Amino acid sequence: MKKKISLALIICLAYGLAACGGSIRGNSNSSDRTAEKASEKTSVHKIGVLVYSRTDNEVIDFKDYLENYIENCFEDVDFLYSDTVASPEEAMQFIRSAAENGVEGIMSFNSYDLEAEVNLCAEHHIYYMMASGSVSDEAFEEASDNEYFLGVVGPGNEIEYQAGAEMGAYFAENAENDEYFILSGGASIGNEMHRLRTMGILDALQEAYGVAFDKDTQELAASENIEHVQAGALTVCICPGYLSRDAFRERAKAEYETDRYGIVLAVLPVFDMESDIVKAGAKFGLIDCYSDANWKLFTNGNLDYLTGKYRSIIGPSFAAMYNALNGYASEFREADGKAFHVIQGFWTSENAEDYEKKYEMSSSIEINAYNYEDLYRVCKNYNPDATLEDLEALAGAYSFEEAKARRAKQP
């Protein structure tokens, strides 16, 4: 089966790149600029991409989409990636380096101090946006008036929390075990997404078991220390830290070797811990992305639940940045002049069959969830009538069903 899928993806890639280069150029719709005319610009727009890890599955998938799909469909853009950014200082240093290298905009996938990062970008006349992520309401408001801050596209607080809550509720209902090992990632060091997901898991477990922990779930989620809590039949260990970092990963592996709880729930990729979880025979739930690595885990029966993003979900974010770099930033702000905040949620799979169906659309080029035609329609270089409302509507139509419906209309 794997060989068949791999061959199909190669065929899709060839087809998709040909489509970017040719088919839309014959479009006679007078309201749209053709790709050929739009690419007549002599300059190339450099876009910096600030990432929290170069080896993370989600980052790798996004990079593939931007460099191997978007760059072929939008010939006047080039992406400059950061190394792993693991601190506020490293984020600021990347912005300075990007400015020195002629970057005009930064698509960020993690923020340590949004206001400071936006202000530094503004000093260098660089546009900044959170391309797929969540920030606190307070952080957003502090930066929202800055003309160089385009906005945020991502799940937002409610969906991040709900993702954790639904995963916790699923395992409480379906797993024959009452011991949970929770990997809370960067929740303790300012990662709002991880904090909300962890809180959602903990609150859902308390509700499902009809109990209450001695400590507040906000405190437990944000703890820098490994926490063990028990209430009634429910036993939970919360283990913090980015597992991409050796020290945190080794600590988590050692703690899991001691606990060996029957259910592992992670709000981030588990990297080299998969073998430990598989060896223990634990039920495993993950908030991550529709990657090849997770497809293998599901296929081998080692992953029981996944909710997360997919490869092309960042397409509308790119379109927002592209509009700004082509002189339309002011036309893609809210009516009050503030930055936009667009909600995008996750896909979810509870079995391998459903995962494979969604994974094929996530990894394909020919039937991409967000393809070049979708993006051309919200880029003013291609469609002069494009508006913020159009962009928000496209970004908000992120579900698998909506993506299928778009592709069904494709000639």
Side-chain angles (χ1 to χ4, degrees), residues 70-321:
I70 291 297
E71 282 189 13
N72 282 284
C73 300
F74 294 79
E75 297 175 359
D76 57 343
V77 298
D78 188 32
F79 295 97
L80 175 67
Y81 265 72
S82 73
D83 290 325
T84 294
V85 172
S87 70
E89 294 75 22
E90 290 175 356
M92 300 295 271
Q93 181 54 44
F94 173 68
I95 293 171
R96 295 187 188 96
S97 176
E100 292 171 0
N101 284 278
V103 164
E104 301 171 67
I106 288 179
M107 296 173 64
S108 176
F109 294 99
N110 190 29
S111 173
Y112 290 91
D113 186 337
L114 182 64
E115 185 178 23
E117 291 160 14
V118 169
N119 287 341
L120 181 58
C121 282
E123 288 179 25
H124 295 282
H125 306 287
I126 294 174
Y127 290 106
Y128 179 103
M129 70 174 300
M130 284 291 292
S132 184
S134 298
V135 298
S136 68
D137 293 337
E138 294 78 11
F140 179 81
E141 284 301 319
E142 288 170 351
S144 62
D145 288 322
N146 193 311
E147 64 179 310
Y148 285 94
F149 177 46
L150 302 182
V152 175
V153 179
N157 293 352
E158 184 176 344
I159 290 179
E160 294 284 11
Y161 176 88
Q162 197 62 28
E166 290 177 358
M167 184 166 71
Y170 174 83
F171 281 90
E173 180 179 351
N174 292 284
E176 297 177 359
N177 196 292
D178 301 319
E179 295 178 328
Y180 296 79
F181 190 83
I182 300 173
L183 293 160
S184 61
S188 63
I189 53 175
N191 188 311
E192 186 72 358
M193 296 180 287
H194 292 176
R195 185 184 73 86
L196 291 165
R197 294 170 186 177
T198 304
M199 282 181 57
I201 294 170
L202 294 171
D203 287 345
L205 292 178
Q206 286 186 122
E207 182 176 352
Y209 282 83
V211 299
F213 299 129
D214 291 336
K215 292 184 178 181
D216 183 79
T217 56
Q218 292 193 53
E219 179 184 351
L220 289 170
S223 176
E224 296 179 356
N225 303 312
I226 295 174
E227 299 277 356
H228 290 85
V229 289
Q230 187 170 7
L234 176 63
T235 300
V236 175
C237 173
I238 304 103
C239 187
Y242 286 108
L243 301 181
S244 57
R245 304 180 194 176
D246 292 342
F248 286 125
R249 185 173 63 255
E250 292 308 313
R251 184 177 72 163
K253 286 163 73 77
E255 183 62 38
Y256 186 63
E257 180 66 26
T258 299
D259 295 338
R260 287 295 178 117
Y261 289 173
I263 300 172
V264 178
L265 304 181
V267 304
L268 78 171
V270 297
F271 290 93
D272 292 338
M273 276 196 68
E274 290 103 332
S275 59
D276 302 80
I277 297 167
V278 171
K279 183 180 177 181
K283 294 295 183 181
F284 183 26
L286 180 61
I287 303 176
D288 186 20
C289 65
Y290 279 76
S291 67
D292 181 65
N294 289 330
W295 174 75
K296 291 174 184 174
L297 285 173
F298 247 125
T299 301
N300 294 332
N302 298 321
L303 184 60
D304 302 279
Y305 182 101
L306 181 129
T307 187
K309 302 170 188 175
Y310 51 92
R311 179 177 172 273
S312 68
I313 198 170
I314 58 171
S317 293
F318 163 75
M321 178 61 71

Side-chain angles (χ1 to χ4, degrees), residues 347-408:
W347 290 354
T348 300
S349 293
E350 299 175 2
N351 57 69
E353 182 180 358
D354 183 77
Y355 184 94
E356 184 167 312
K357 176 177 62 176
K358 292 172 180 172
Y359 170 65
E360 288 190 40
M361 178 172 283
S362 173
S363 57
S364 175
I365 296 293
E366 182 183 0
I367 53 170
N368 222 324
Y370 284 110
N371 74 1
Y372 70 97
E373 292 174 309
D374 301 326
L375 303 185
Y376 284 175
R377 293 188 185 102
V378 295
C379 290
K380 290 189 77 72
N381 269 21
Y382 299 89
N383 176 15
D385 296 326
T387 66
L388 175 61
E389 290 72 22
D390 296 329
L391 181 65
E392 289 176 331
L394 178 64
Y398 60 83
S399 74
F400 180 67
E401 291 72 23
E402 289 167 311
K404 279 182 61 179
R406 283 196 298 274
R407 297 293 70 85

Side-chain angles (χ1 to χ4, degrees), residues 3-54:
K3 290 182 179 178
K4 291 181 180 179
I5 291 177
S6 298
L7 178 60
L9 294 183
I10 292 171
I11 293 170
C12 287
L13 178 61
Y15 180 94
L17 296 184
C20 287
S23 65
I24 201 165
R25 293 177 182 170
N27 189 338
S28 61
N29 188 338
S30 60
S31 69
D32 292 349
R33 289 186 60 187
T34 67
E36 186 173 4
K37 290 181 180 179
S39 64
E40 286 175 354
K41 289 179 175 291
T42 57
S43 61
V44 172
H45 297 296
K46 289 187 178 180
I47 301 173
V49 186
L50 192 157
V51 299
Y52 49 87
S53 170
R54 292 294 292 268

